[in-house]
Amino acid sequence: MDTALCADCRDFMQCYHSKFTDGESDERSISKVVDAAGTGCRLCQNIVSRFGSLQLDLLELANTNDQRATFHMFPEPYWGTNFHGPEDWKRIFLDVSILKSQVQFRMWRVTDGPAGDAASDDQNTGSDPSLTRAAKWLRECISEHENCNQVNCPTDWVPHRLLDVGSRCPFSHVIRLKQTEGWQTPVRYAALSHCWGDIQPLKLLNENLPTLVHGILLGDLPMTFQDSVRTIRRLGIQYLWIDSLCIIQDSKKDWDIESSLMTYVYGGSMLNIAAAASNNCAGGLFQNRLSSYLGPCRFSVASQDGASTLRYQLCSPDLWNAEFGSATLNTRAWVVQERMLSPRTLALTRAQLFWECRHKRACDEFPSGYPVEYFDKPPMTFELPSLHNKLKTQVLVGPINRILVENLVEQLSLAWHKLVMLYSRQKITFEEDKLVALSGLAILFAQQVHGEYLAGLWKSTLLADLLWEVSTSIYPRRRSLTYRSPSWSWASMDCPVNYVLGKVESNLVEVVDVNIQSMLGNSKWSKVTGGYLRLQGKLFPNLCVVFNGDLGRFSVEKHGIDGTMSIADCIPDEREHHDGSVANTDSGLLCLPLVSYYDATSPRPELCEFRGLVLSPGKGQSRGHYQRWGVFEKQYSTFFEDSNNEASGEWYVDREDGIIMIT
């Protein structure tokens, strides 16, 4: 059913649609808006709620000062595919301004069935109506979404341990840890994503394994685990995987084995349950909905010609990110692969439930499907057909000039670069786990890339992968004090990194050899203990890097008897302070051009003739051994084309062949 609107709001909406101009404005006293909200106008209620979340006393202050609320409705062109008629050619927005604050709503055109107010029995995210919606999403996905039913594990694979929560009512108050060795048939199970936080949950240890196999009282579990059990029972799933109870926490051997199986654990699950409302295991899945949650707000207005009725739903443009995407849970590094590998995620936030599978997104406010425009792919977006049946790929595709993406390897390389940028921004409790927490996704990419994995990079696209650069807005920027990878891997850094998404036009060096040593010997996915990269190329020595305060960037310079020559722009990997706050000069550095490179994010890709690494001599290391210091680029340069500027033989491991080693 449609929600109630006050006379002012209904007249304003109808007036706009009868004119369909490029903008319609209205002013109202604050007291009118507040009074209308109190008598049930859902638009005014949403306005009061949104402004209240910005500043508690804003409306009271504005009303006291006799301020007015300005309503402005306006269209924006929409080039998506979700058209139902002429009214859909433009997206309609409503801005409401009070004092110097403003909130924006999207007027989303809807054509499906009714959605009314939040029901009186739906004031908790664990309510029967909420879990009924979740069960419907799950049933629909299983029966209709072919790509969501492809699992990322052998058909007969089962996690080594699972929690048996029971298969039928009445359910017991005891659950049991099952060791699955010898099971011949795969089972349906859910996997939990949660924040451990500052409260340590009940953990599986060597000494209590027999006890947990015998049985666990539901009341002995932290609330998030209890709610997870209740959720999967309601959804008809018998088994549950929780990291703290299915991995022996005081066994390094068991942890190393199990952490390498995340591709299978999450990829083979029926459902991933995301505890997005809690910062620790005691917070629970189920929450009383925030007072600001009002349920779907839908209303009807006559079409331009008056021949039909148009139905709209009011929504916040940033609803998905504000309530789910930005949840503390989604800042955890481990959760990146947990969310992407699982075919389906049911997230329980403070206000509502969110559904995310490989085919669809939905939430309590949009139970039939989240507005497609928020996830529409621009015309220049590259696709990932090879991964659509294996991952939720929404965050890996993006705007790109498809002329430069000609084959599968290039598509996967761009997707990996986007993944690294996303992942490097996440938090991780134990820094030594940085590569391990990504290994599940790396294993899946390896099946498509068919190339060697090298501590977060790929041998098949190594030169492009080496060109990561640190985020220059983060300070301090440091390499990890705990060894995680060679200096040429982004995993060595304790800060976000970026890639210039594009394509290598030509190589300026040759990869002679590359090697990674890991804790588990031949395993590429375990913790890295060492590595090196041997390249054959042209070094340019005796350079310094200076911060140019006027331009706000670093420059590589060559000082000589004829003066100072600016060679290229660069980005240092490590920096303790804001670039302009202290003297920033580093000398004794070298440049190693790697590639000529096209920037593929531009409609008209530009060629950068020289992109490469800035190197520093390794302390106490042999001749020709270096560590990465940063990256540089120069669109055009005569300096790098002049052989007189090249390093002499003593700068190389091999004087004759021009080989260097980077560790």
Side-chain angles (χ1 to χ4, degrees):
M1 68 179 183
D2 287 351
T3 53
L5 295 181
C6 65
D8 287 330
C9 285
R10 185 164 295 280
D11 290 346
F12 175 64
M13 296 293 178
Q14 193 60 62
C15 180
Y16 172 79
H17 273 80
S18 63
K19 296 178 180 178
F20 210 72
T21 59
D22 285 341
E24 188 75 16
S25 295
D26 182 36
E27 283 194 355
R28 253 177 269 170
S29 68
I30 304 299
S31 59
K32 251 193 169 185
V33 175
V34 174
D35 289 346
T39 55
C41 174
R42 291 295 305 285
L43 176 53
C44 290
Q45 287 176 350
N46 275 274
I47 292 169
V48 169
S49 174
R50 288 282 300 279
F51 277 106
S53 66
L54 294 178
Q55 181 180 329
L56 287 176
D57 62 347
L58 178 65
L59 293 175
E60 182 180 351
L61 179 65
N63 195 28
T64 302
N65 293 327
D66 199 27
Q67 297 293 316
R68 300 177 69 81
T70 301
F71 292 64
H72 179 66
M73 191 177 292
F74 61 96
E76 284 188 354
Y78 175 49
W79 306 109
T81 57
N82 193 41
F83 293 119
H84 301 290
E87 288 83 1
D88 293 320
W89 294 343
K90 293 183 177 181
R91 303 182 303 168
I92 304 173
F93 292 88
L94 171 64
D95 284 349
V96 182
S97 302
I98 298 176
L99 296 175
K100 294 183 179 180
S101 298
Q102 183 184 81
V103 297
Q104 185 176 86
F105 299 95
R106 170 74 169 95
M107 313 300 292
W108 175 252
R109 174 89 184 280
V110 292
T111 58
D112 55 357
D117 298 357
S120 59
D121 62 346
D122 195 12
Q123 299 304 308
N124 185 282
T125 57
S127 67
D128 187 66
S130 288
L131 295 182
T132 297
R133 276 190 292 274
K136 182 180 179 181
W137 291 329
L138 180 60
R139 286 195 307 271
E140 176 192 85
C141 185
I142 292 172
S143 63
E144 299 179 14
H145 302 167
E146 182 179 353
N147 62 327
C148 296
N149 289 309
Q150 306 294 316
V151 296
N152 296 324
C153 63
T155 55
D156 60 348
W157 189 84
V158 183
H160 294 149
R161 301 179 192 92
L162 287 168
L163 296 164
D164 185 346
V165 306
S167 58
R168 62 179 63 89
C169 290
F171 290 108
S172 169
H173 62 287
V174 175
I175 66 173
R176 289 177 172 81
L177 180 67
K178 296 286 188 178
Q179 304 202 76
T180 65
E181 184 178 0
W183 289 19
Q184 301 297 317
T185 306
V187 297
R188 294 178 13 145
Y189 67 92
L192 177 66
S193 292
H194 68 104
C195 295
W196 284 46
D198 54 358
I199 299 176
Q200 290 297 302
L202 176 66
K203 294 185 289 188
L204 173 61
L205 306 171
N206 277 302
E207 65 178 11
N208 68 1
L209 193 155
T211 302
L212 301 191
V213 168
H214 183 263
I216 309 168
L217 286 173
L218 194 58
D220 288 343
L221 295 174
M223 189 54 67
T224 298
F225 296 3
Q226 293 185 44
D227 288 348
S228 299
V229 171
R230 296 185 181 102
T231 299
I232 69 166
R233 283 174 170 175
R234 179 67 173 75
L235 299 177
I237 301 173
Q238 182 176 353
Y239 297 98
L240 177 63
W241 189 92
I242 301 177
D243 52 3
S244 64
L245 292 174
C246 294
I247 301 175
I248 302 175
Q249 298 297 315
D250 59 351
S251 169
K252 183 178 181 305
K253 178 181 178 182
D254 193 67
W255 192 93
D256 287 340
I257 292 172
E258 296 298 323
S259 64
S260 69
L261 295 173
M262 294 300 102
T263 305
Y264 293 170
V265 169
Y266 283 91
S269 67
M270 175 65 63
L271 179 68
N272 168 223
I273 297 174
S278 303
N279 296 336
N280 57 53
C281 60
L285 286 184
F286 307 144
Q287 309 288 324
N288 290 326
R289 297 190 194 273
L290 298 172
S291 59
S292 59
Y293 177 73
L294 301 171
C297 177
R298 292 187 173 185
F299 54 88
S300 300
V301 294
S303 61
Q304 287 177 257
D305 57 12
S308 62
T309 298
L310 303 177
R311 302 183 69 237
Y312 290 92
Q313 180 166 335
L314 193 74
C315 63
S316 169
D318 62 348
L319 170 66
W320 186 277
N321 285 328
E323 293 196 16
F324 174 43
S326 62
T328 300
L329 177 71
N330 287 324
T331 66
R332 289 186 58 235
W334 283 95
V335 172
V336 172
Q337 66 176 10
E338 294 171 7
R339 182 175 165 189
M340 291 181 63
L341 288 168
S342 55
R344 310 167 186 90
T345 294
L346 176 65
L348 293 94
T349 72
R350 291 289 308 280
Q352 55 184 310
L353 273 60
F354 287 80
W355 174 267
E356 181 180 55
C357 66
R358 296 170 188 160
H359 185 79
K360 174 180 178 176
R361 284 165 162 164
C363 63
D364 285 339
E365 282 194 41
F366 291 94
S368 299
Y370 201 78
V372 66
E373 69 182 58
Y374 294 114
F375 306 108
D376 251 4
K377 295 185 276 291
M380 287 171 37
T381 296
F382 68 94
E383 300 286 347
L384 287 172
S386 64
L387 292 176
H388 283 169
N389 294 339
K390 301 177 182 298
L391 287 177
K392 300 191 193 88
T393 60
Q394 293 98 326
V395 299
L396 300 184
V397 298
I400 210 78
N401 192 313
R402 281 183 282 191
I403 296 174
L404 301 181
V405 185
E406 299 174 347
N407 56 53
L408 176 62
V409 172
E410 291 171 351
Q411 291 173 353
L412 292 172
S413 177
L414 289 171
W416 183 259
H417 289 172
K418 291 202 70 170
L419 175 59
V420 168
M421 289 191 285
L422 168 68
Y423 179 76
S424 68
R425 283 157 171 76
Q426 310 306 304
K427 300 174 183 176
I428 194 162
T429 303
F430 301 104
E431 290 295 334
E432 63 269 23
D433 294 344
K434 189 158 191 173
L435 283 170
V436 180
L438 189 64
S439 62
L441 287 168
I443 290 170
L444 196 62
F445 266 79
Q447 297 168 5
Q448 307 298 315
V449 173
H450 303 298
E452 186 178 355
Y453 182 64
L454 303 164
L457 289 70
W458 299 93
K459 190 171 184 179
S460 56
T461 54
L462 183 57
L463 296 184
D465 292 356
L466 287 168
L467 293 173
W468 54 268
E469 53 192 47
V470 296
S471 174
T472 55
S473 62
I474 302 298
Y475 299 95
R477 307 193 300 260
R478 304 187 186 110
R479 279 198 164 77
S480 173
L481 296 177
T482 302
Y483 185 87
R484 288 196 302 248
S485 69
S487 65
W488 42 264
S489 169
W490 55 266
S492 66
M493 300 301 301
D494 281 336
C495 66
V497 301
N498 297 317
Y499 274 101
V500 176
L501 300 180
K503 176 182 178 180
V504 172
E505 172 65 12
S506 60
N507 297 341
L508 303 178
V509 298
E510 180 182 343
V511 179
V512 178
D513 185 25
V514 59
N515 180 268
I516 291 292
Q517 297 99 45
S518 67
M519 189 172 291
L520 296 183
N522 293 327
S523 172
K524 305 179 185 70
W525 322 113
S526 60
K527 293 178 182 178
V528 171
T529 57
Y532 62 82
L533 173 61
R534 288 171 62 91
L535 298 174
Q536 184 179 45
K538 296 178 180 179
L539 276 177
F540 295 83
N542 299 319
L543 304 176
C544 67
V545 170
V546 176
F547 180 72
N548 187 320
D550 294 334
L551 298 177
R553 64 190 183 207
F554 284 89
S555 298
V556 181
E557 296 182 349
K558 177 78 171 182
H559 295 173
I561 57 175
D562 296 327
T564 298
M565 178 189 300
S566 179
I567 306 301
D569 295 331
C570 81
I571 299 177
D573 290 345
E574 297 186 88
R575 190 60 44 181
E576 285 294 322
H577 307 282
H578 184 274
D579 296 334
S581 63
V582 295
N584 284 283
T585 303
D586 291 85
S587 58
L589 302 173
L590 306 92
C591 281
L592 176 69
L594 294 183
V595 297
S596 296
Y597 196 81
Y598 273 110
D599 178 352
T601 60
S602 170
R604 293 184 177 180
E606 295 184 351
L607 178 65
C608 180
E609 286 195 351
F610 299 96
R611 295 197 78 216
L613 302 181
V614 181
L615 305 175
S616 64
K619 295 180 180 179
Q621 291 190 348
S622 305
R623 184 186 70 194
H625 287 65
Y626 302 97
Q627 290 187 325
R628 175 179 153 136
W629 188 91
V631 288
F632 77 89
E633 68 174 24
K634 184 67 174 178
Q635 193 163 5
Y636 307 105
S637 174
T638 57
F639 178 84
F640 294 119
E641 295 172 345
D642 187 346
S643 60
N644 293 319
N645 296 321
E646 293 177 26
S648 55
E650 64 267 18
W651 292 94
Y652 298 94
V653 173
D654 189 312
R655 291 175 179 268
E656 301 298 326
D657 294 333
I659 292 175
I660 67 166
M661 183 93 74
I662 309 176
T663 58

